[in-house]
Coordinates of all heavy atoms in Angstrom, one line a residue:
L10 N 45.7 -88.8 -44.8 CA 45.1 -88.5 -43.5 C 44.4 -89.7 -43.0 O 44.2 -90.7 -43.7 CB 44.2 -87.3 -43.6 CG 42.8 -87.5 -44.3 CD1 41.8 -86.4 -43.9 CD2 42.9 -87.5 -45.8
R11 N 44.1 -89.7 -41.7 CA 43.5 -90.8 -41.0 C 42.1 -90.4 -40.4 O 41.8 -89.2 -40.5 CB 44.4 -91.3 -39.9 CG 45.8 -91.8 -40.4 CD 45.7 -93.0 -41.3 NE 45.2 -94.2 -40.5 CZ 44.3 -95.0 -41.0 NH1 43.7 -94.8 -42.1 NH2 44.0 -96.1 -40.2
L12 N 41.4 -91.3 -39.9 CA 40.1 -91.0 -39.4 C 40.1 -89.9 -38.3 O 39.2 -89.1 -38.2 CB 39.5 -92.3 -38.8 CG 39.2 -93.4 -39.8 CD1 38.7 -94.7 -39.1 CD2 38.1 -93.0 -40.8
D13 N 41.1 -89.9 -37.5 CA 41.2 -88.9 -36.4 C 41.4 -87.5 -36.9 O 41.3 -86.5 -36.2 CB 42.3 -89.2 -35.4 CG 41.9 -90.3 -34.4 OD1 41.8 -91.5 -34.8 OD2 41.7 -90.0 -33.3
D14 N 41.8 -87.3 -38.2 CA 42.0 -86.0 -38.8 C 40.7 -85.4 -39.3 O 40.6 -84.3 -39.8 CB 43.0 -86.1 -40.0 CG 44.4 -86.5 -39.5 OD1 44.8 -85.9 -38.5 OD2 45.0 -87.3 -40.1
I15 N 39.6 -86.2 -39.3 CA 38.3 -85.9 -40.0 C 37.3 -85.3 -39.0 O 37.1 -86.0 -37.9 CB 37.8 -87.1 -40.7 CG1 38.8 -87.5 -41.8 CG2 36.4 -86.7 -41.4 CD1 38.3 -88.8 -42.5
E16 N 36.7 -84.2 -39.3 CA 35.6 -83.7 -38.4 C 34.3 -84.3 -38.8 O 33.5 -84.7 -38.0 CB 35.6 -82.1 -38.6 CG 34.4 -81.5 -37.9 CD 34.4 -81.7 -36.4 OE1 35.4 -82.0 -35.8 OE2 33.3 -81.5 -35.8
R17 N 34.0 -84.3 -40.1 CA 32.8 -84.9 -40.7 C 33.0 -85.1 -42.2 O 33.9 -84.6 -42.8 CB 31.6 -84.0 -40.4 CG 31.5 -82.7 -41.2 CD 30.3 -81.9 -40.8 NE 30.1 -80.8 -41.7 CZ 30.7 -79.6 -41.7 NH1 31.6 -79.4 -40.7 NH2 30.4 -78.7 -42.5
I18 N 32.1 -85.9 -42.7 CA 32.0 -86.1 -44.2 C 30.6 -85.8 -44.7 O 29.7 -86.4 -44.1 CB 32.4 -87.6 -44.5 CG1 33.8 -87.9 -43.9 CG2 32.4 -87.8 -46.0 CD1 34.2 -89.3 -44.1
E19 N 30.5 -85.0 -45.7 CA 29.3 -84.7 -46.3 C 29.2 -85.5 -47.6 O 30.1 -85.4 -48.5 CB 29.1 -83.2 -46.6 CG 29.1 -82.4 -45.3 CD 28.9 -80.9 -45.6 OE1 28.7 -80.5 -46.7 OE2 28.9 -80.1 -44.6
V20 N 28.1 -86.3 -47.8 CA 27.9 -87.1 -48.9 C 26.7 -86.7 -49.7 O 25.6 -86.8 -49.2 CB 27.7 -88.6 -48.5 CG1 27.6 -89.5 -49.7 CG2 28.9 -89.1 -47.6
V21 N 26.9 -86.1 -50.9 CA 25.8 -85.7 -51.7 C 25.4 -87.0 -52.6 O 26.2 -87.5 -53.4 CB 26.2 -84.6 -52.7 CG1 25.0 -84.2 -53.5 CG2 26.6 -83.4 -51.8
R22 N 24.2 -87.5 -52.4 CA 23.8 -88.8 -52.9 C 23.2 -88.7 -54.3 O 22.2 -89.5 -54.6 CB 22.9 -89.5 -51.9 CG 23.5 -89.6 -50.5 CD 22.7 -90.5 -49.6 NE 21.3 -90.4 -49.8 CZ 20.5 -89.5 -49.1 NH1 21.1 -88.6 -48.3 NH2 19.2 -89.5 -49.3
G23 N 23.6 -87.8 -55.1 CA 23.0 -87.7 -56.5 C 23.9 -86.9 -57.3 O 24.8 -86.2 -56.9
P24 N 23.5 -86.8 -58.6 CA 24.3 -86.0 -59.6 C 24.4 -84.5 -59.1 O 23.5 -83.9 -58.6 CB 23.5 -86.0 -60.9 CG 22.8 -87.3 -60.8 CD 22.4 -87.5 -59.3
N25 N 25.7 -84.0 -59.1 CA 25.9 -82.6 -58.6 C 26.9 -81.9 -59.5 O 27.7 -81.1 -59.0 CB 26.5 -82.7 -57.2 CG 26.2 -81.5 -56.4 OD1 25.4 -80.6 -56.7 ND2 27.0 -81.3 -55.3
Q26 N 26.8 -82.1 -60.8 CA 27.6 -81.4 -61.7 C 27.4 -79.9 -61.8 O 28.3 -79.1 -62.1 CB 27.5 -81.9 -63.2 CG 28.0 -83.4 -63.3 CD 26.8 -84.4 -63.2 OE1 25.9 -84.1 -62.5 NE2 27.0 -85.5 -63.9
A27 N 26.2 -79.4 -61.4 CA 25.9 -78.0 -61.4 C 26.8 -77.2 -60.4 O 27.1 -76.0 -60.6 CB 24.5 -77.7 -61.0
S28 N 27.3 -77.9 -59.4 CA 28.2 -77.3 -58.4 C 29.7 -77.6 -58.6 O 30.5 -76.8 -58.3 CB 27.8 -77.7 -57.0 OG 26.5 -77.2 -56.6
Y29 N 29.9 -78.8 -59.1 CA 31.3 -79.3 -59.2 C 31.8 -79.8 -60.6 O 32.9 -80.2 -60.7 CB 31.6 -80.4 -58.1 CG 31.4 -79.8 -56.7 CD1 30.3 -80.0 -56.0 CD2 32.5 -79.1 -56.1 CE1 30.1 -79.5 -54.7 CE2 32.3 -78.6 -54.8 CZ 31.2 -78.8 -54.2 OH 31.0 -78.3 -52.9
G30 N 30.9 -79.8 -61.5 CA 31.3 -80.1 -62.9 C 31.3 -81.6 -63.2 O 30.9 -82.4 -62.4
A31 N 31.8 -81.9 -64.4 CA 31.9 -83.3 -64.9 C 32.6 -84.1 -63.9 O 33.6 -83.7 -63.2 CB 32.6 -83.3 -66.2
N32 N 32.2 -85.4 -63.7 CA 32.7 -86.4 -62.8 C 32.0 -86.4 -61.5 O 32.3 -87.3 -60.7 CB 34.2 -86.2 -62.6 CG 35.0 -86.3 -63.9 OD1 34.6 -87.0 -64.9 ND2 36.1 -85.6 -64.0
A33 N 31.1 -85.5 -61.2 CA 30.2 -85.6 -60.1 C 28.9 -86.3 -60.4 O 27.9 -85.9 -59.9 CB 30.0 -84.2 -59.5
L34 N 29.0 -87.3 -61.3 CA 27.8 -87.9 -61.9 C 27.0 -88.7 -60.9 O 25.8 -88.6 -60.9 CB 28.2 -88.8 -63.1 CG 27.1 -89.4 -63.9 CD1 27.4 -89.3 -65.4 CD2 26.9 -90.8 -63.5
Q35 N 27.7 -89.4 -60.0 CA 27.0 -90.2 -59.0 C 26.8 -89.4 -57.7 O 26.2 -89.9 -56.8 CB 27.7 -91.5 -58.7 CG 27.5 -92.5 -59.8 CD 28.0 -93.9 -59.4 OE1 29.0 -94.0 -58.6 NE2 27.4 -94.9 -59.9
G36 N 27.5 -88.2 -57.6 CA 27.4 -87.5 -56.3 C 28.8 -87.0 -55.9 O 29.8 -87.0 -56.7
V37 N 28.9 -86.5 -54.7 CA 30.1 -85.8 -54.2 C 30.3 -86.3 -52.8 O 29.4 -86.3 -52.0 CB 30.0 -84.3 -54.3 CG1 31.3 -83.7 -53.7 CG2 29.8 -83.8 -55.7
I38 N 31.6 -86.6 -52.5 CA 32.0 -86.9 -51.1 C 33.0 -85.8 -50.7 O 34.0 -85.6 -51.4 CB 32.7 -88.3 -50.9 CG1 31.6 -89.4 -51.1 CG2 33.3 -88.4 -49.6 CD1 32.3 -90.8 -51.2
N39 N 32.6 -85.0 -49.7 CA 33.5 -84.0 -49.2 C 34.0 -84.3 -47.8 O 33.2 -84.3 -46.8 CB 32.8 -82.6 -49.2 CG 33.7 -81.4 -49.0 OD1 34.9 -81.6 -49.0 ND2 33.1 -80.3 -48.8
I40 N 35.3 -84.6 -47.7 CA 35.9 -84.9 -46.4 C 36.4 -83.6 -45.8 O 37.3 -83.0 -46.3 CB 37.1 -85.9 -46.6 CG1 36.6 -87.2 -47.3 CG2 37.8 -86.2 -45.3 CD1 37.7 -88.1 -47.7
I41 N 35.8 -83.3 -44.7 CA 36.1 -82.0 -44.0 C 37.0 -82.3 -42.8 O 36.6 -83.0 -41.9 CB 34.8 -81.3 -43.6 CG1 34.0 -81.0 -44.9 CG2 35.1 -80.0 -42.9 CD1 32.6 -80.5 -44.6
T42 N 38.2 -81.7 -42.7 CA 39.1 -82.1 -41.7 C 39.0 -81.2 -40.5 O 38.3 -80.2 -40.5 CB 40.6 -81.9 -42.2 OG1 40.8 -80.6 -42.7 CG2 40.8 -82.9 -43.4
R43 N 39.6 -81.6 -39.4 CA 39.6 -80.9 -38.1 C 40.4 -79.6 -38.3 O 41.4 -79.6 -38.9 CB 40.2 -81.7 -37.0 CG 39.5 -83.1 -36.8 CD 38.4 -82.9 -35.8 NE 38.8 -82.7 -34.5 CZ 38.0 -82.5 -33.4 NH1 36.7 -82.4 -33.6 NH2 38.5 -82.3 -32.2
L44 N 40.0 -78.5 -37.6 CA 40.7 -77.3 -37.6 C 41.8 -77.3 -36.5 O 41.6 -78.1 -35.5 CB 39.7 -76.1 -37.3 CG 38.6 -75.9 -38.3 CD1 37.7 -74.8 -37.8 CD2 39.2 -75.6 -39.7
P45 N 42.9 -76.6 -36.6 CA 43.9 -76.6 -35.6 C 43.3 -76.2 -34.2 O 43.8 -76.7 -33.2 CB 44.9 -75.6 -36.1 CG 44.8 -75.6 -37.6 CD 43.3 -75.8 -37.8
V46 N 42.4 -75.3 -34.2 CA 41.9 -74.8 -32.9 C 41.1 -75.9 -32.2 O 40.8 -75.8 -31.0 CB 41.0 -73.6 -33.0 CG1 41.8 -72.4 -33.5 CG2 39.8 -73.8 -34.0
Q47 N 40.6 -76.9 -32.9 CA 39.9 -78.0 -32.3 C 40.7 -79.1 -31.7 O 40.2 -79.9 -30.9 CB 39.0 -78.7 -33.4 CG 37.9 -77.8 -34.0 CD 37.1 -78.5 -35.1 OE1 37.7 -78.7 -36.2 NE2 35.9 -78.9 -34.8
D48 N 42.0 -79.0 -32.0 CA 42.9 -80.1 -31.5 C 44.2 -79.6 -30.9 O 45.3 -80.0 -31.3 CB 43.3 -81.1 -32.7 CG 42.1 -82.0 -33.0 OD1 41.4 -82.4 -32.0 OD2 42.0 -82.4 -34.1
A49 N 44.1 -78.6 -30.0 CA 45.3 -78.1 -29.3 C 45.8 -79.2 -28.4 O 45.0 -80.0 -27.8 CB 44.9 -76.8 -28.6
G50 N 47.1 -79.3 -28.3 CA 47.7 -80.3 -27.4 C 48.2 -81.5 -28.2 O 48.4 -81.4 -29.4
I51 N 48.5 -82.6 -27.5 CA 49.1 -83.8 -28.1 C 48.1 -85.0 -27.9 O 47.5 -85.1 -26.8 CB 50.4 -84.1 -27.5 CG1 51.4 -82.9 -27.7 CG2 51.0 -85.4 -28.0 CD1 52.7 -83.0 -26.9
A52 N 48.1 -85.8 -28.9 CA 47.2 -87.0 -28.8 C 47.9 -88.2 -29.5 O 48.7 -87.9 -30.5 CB 45.8 -86.8 -29.3
A53 N 47.6 -89.4 -29.1 CA 48.2 -90.6 -29.8 C 47.2 -91.7 -29.8 O 46.3 -91.8 -28.9 CB 49.5 -91.0 -29.0
Y54 N 47.3 -92.5 -30.8 CA 46.4 -93.6 -31.0 C 47.2 -94.8 -31.4 O 48.1 -94.7 -32.3 CB 45.3 -93.3 -32.0 CG 44.5 -94.5 -32.5 CD1 43.3 -94.9 -31.8 CD2 44.8 -95.3 -33.6 CE1 42.6 -95.9 -32.2 CE2 44.1 -96.3 -34.0 CZ 42.9 -96.7 -33.3 OH 42.2 -97.7 -33.8
A55 N 46.9 -96.0 -30.9 CA 47.6 -97.2 -31.3 C 46.6 -98.4 -31.3 O 45.7 -98.5 -30.4 CB 48.8 -97.5 -30.3

């Protein structure tokens, strides 16, 4: 995906294994994409 597909990014800036388990030792980055209802129609970027 590209930047235009992203609605927002939530960055948990510390250990978060209690919610997501091993490997979330430094934190969690959750990339939340745009919903179809937010982008009706056609768009282009160059």
Side-chain angles (χ1 to χ4, degrees):
L10 72 161
R11 301 293 293 134
L12 295 173
D13 279 72
D14 297 315
I15 300 173
E16 173 62 19
R17 71 183 188 277
I18 302 175
E19 296 183 4
V20 182
V21 181
R22 308 189 318 272
N25 202 20
Q26 292 97 329
S28 293
Y29 295 97
N32 302 328
L34 186 140
Q35 286 191 329
V37 178
I38 292 172
N39 191 10
I40 302 171
I41 300 172
T42 60
R43 301 273 290 177
L44 298 174
V46 295
Q47 294 176 291
D48 282 330
I51 300 173
Y54 170 87

